[in-house]
Amino acid sequence: MPSPKIGFIGYGAMAQRMGANLRKAGYPVVAYAPSGGKDETEMLPSPRAIAEAAEIIIFCVPNDAAENESLHGENGALAALTPSKLVLDTSTVSPDQADAFASLAVEHGFSLLDAPMSGSTPEAETGDLVMLVGGDEAVVKRAQPVLDVIGKLTIHAGPAGSAARLKLVVNGVMGATLNVIAEGVSYGLAAGLDRDVVFDTLQQVAVVSPHHKRKLKMGQNREFPSQFPTRLMSKDMGLLLDAGRKVGAFMPGMAVADQALALSNRLHANEDYSALIGAMEHSVANLPHK
């Protein structure tokens, strides 16, 4: 049997890499990219065209507003999402948005998983993403061949909306940890330690994750190529704090990180979120403590 056609709605840095891996695995791929992002993939003119052409539709958009714009209206995907369609929403959106999308799936009869990924562009390129999925077990099983191409592990978080919530947990830990690392670097430099000693040491110790060691290398090089742009991390931290407030969660450390990343976002929106390390280094200018 031929592989089902896959259509991307949103075709930025992450989606292009997922699309490339799916093509290598034999899947025909089409895409709609409202804000650019083109490769050899056939581009279609609207979300509705994607939903009409593809059997499996992957949403990979930056926020709630972009997702709603892609869903609704005459050229929105919802007009063509029939019961035979399978939708994977890999976007990082609010829990409320994930719940609303799930309600639309029930109303219109199509299959849906909220399926945000954990990982950045290097993992997307090698197919080593960790896929978090929320929805019915039968739908997870249907989607598993595609999930196995774009990720190394699939975690079924629970019913619809669970993965959207779990993704905020993961990104909150990422953002808060990066902020703590940046604070540590800031102290070390302000205290007069040799710059390379500080960065080299943190890249060797076990308490720093491989992900954050990559961020430290960027900080050491003072170059922040965008594997995960600050504007998206800042957005995700805001989603987390808003969601946490609604359920009464106590997250003071993540609240501080949210504020630090919001400040970094003013000057480094399109650089990697590790630019916060550079921003804090600039603030202390490696001056000795007095």
Side-chain angles (χ1 to χ4, degrees):
M1 292 180 62
S3 298
K5 181 176 288 187
I6 295 177
F8 280 88
I9 295 176
Y11 208 54
M14 294 293 286
Q16 286 181 57
R17 287 163 172 81
M18 289 190 286
N21 286 328
L22 288 164
R23 286 196 306 275
K24 289 175 188 175
Y27 289 91
V29 176
V30 293
Y32 167 71
S35 57
K38 297 180 180 179
D39 56 18
E40 62 267 37
T41 300
E42 179 186 358
M43 307 303 291
L44 299 185
S46 70
R48 179 173 183 166
I50 292 292
E52 289 172 342
E55 298 166 69
I56 300 173
I57 297 92
I58 299 179
F59 278 75
C60 194
V61 296
N63 52 44
D64 292 16
E67 186 162 278
N68 284 324
E69 185 176 350
S70 296
L71 276 169
H72 300 288
E74 181 180 352
N75 291 311
L78 196 60
L81 287 178
T82 57
S84 66
K85 306 291 184 175
L86 169 61
V87 178
L88 307 179
D89 185 11
T90 67
S91 316
T92 301
V93 294
S94 70
D96 288 346
Q97 177 69 17
D99 292 346
F101 204 165
S103 295
L104 288 172
V106 172
E107 179 183 346
H108 291 265
F110 60 88
S111 297
L112 169 70
L113 295 176
D114 47 300
M117 74 288 284
S118 177
S120 299
T121 51
E123 290 80 18
E125 188 159 347
T126 59
D128 287 325
L129 296 166
V130 174
M131 304 304 298
L132 314 175
V133 299
D136 292 340
E137 185 71 45
V139 181
V140 177
K141 185 175 181 181
R142 179 182 173 188
Q144 197 66 60
V146 171
L147 296 170
D148 286 345
V149 171
I150 60 181
K152 66 177 181 180
L153 175 67
T154 298
I155 296 173
H156 188 191
S162 299
R165 290 163 169 84
L166 185 58
K167 177 61 185 295
L168 294 184
V169 173
V170 172
N171 279 19
V173 171
M174 283 172 54
T177 301
L178 190 280
N179 184 62
V180 168
I181 289 170
E183 289 182 4
V185 169
S186 177
Y187 163 71
L189 299 182
L193 291 173
D194 179 83
R195 185 176 186 273
D196 284 334
V197 167
V198 172
F199 280 100
D200 288 343
T201 299
L202 289 174
Q203 289 172 79
Q204 294 299 322
V205 295
V207 295
V208 178
S209 72
H211 170 86
H212 288 100
K213 287 176 181 178
R214 289 208 309 257
K215 306 309 177 186
L216 279 160
K217 177 56 71 174
M218 291 183 184
Q220 187 171 17
N221 294 338
R222 295 190 176 98
E223 295 178 349
F224 305 98
S226 187
Q227 296 178 353
F228 186 10
T230 302
R231 59 184 170 79
L232 294 182
M233 176 55 89
S234 181
K235 179 265 297 184
D236 292 352
M237 296 300 291
L239 290 178
L240 172 63
L241 290 183
D242 183 59
R245 188 177 299 109
K246 291 177 180 177
V247 299
F250 181 64
M251 301 183 293
M254 291 181 178
V256 170
D258 168 63
Q259 291 297 296
L261 286 158
L263 181 62
S264 182
N265 189 50
R266 290 180 62 86
L267 293 177
H268 308 288
N270 293 312
E271 293 178 273
D272 191 83
Y273 82 107
S274 57
L276 178 61
I277 298 172
M280 286 200 182
E281 177 176 6
H282 181 74
S283 75
V284 301
N286 204 9
L287 295 175
H289 177 69
K290 294 181 180 180

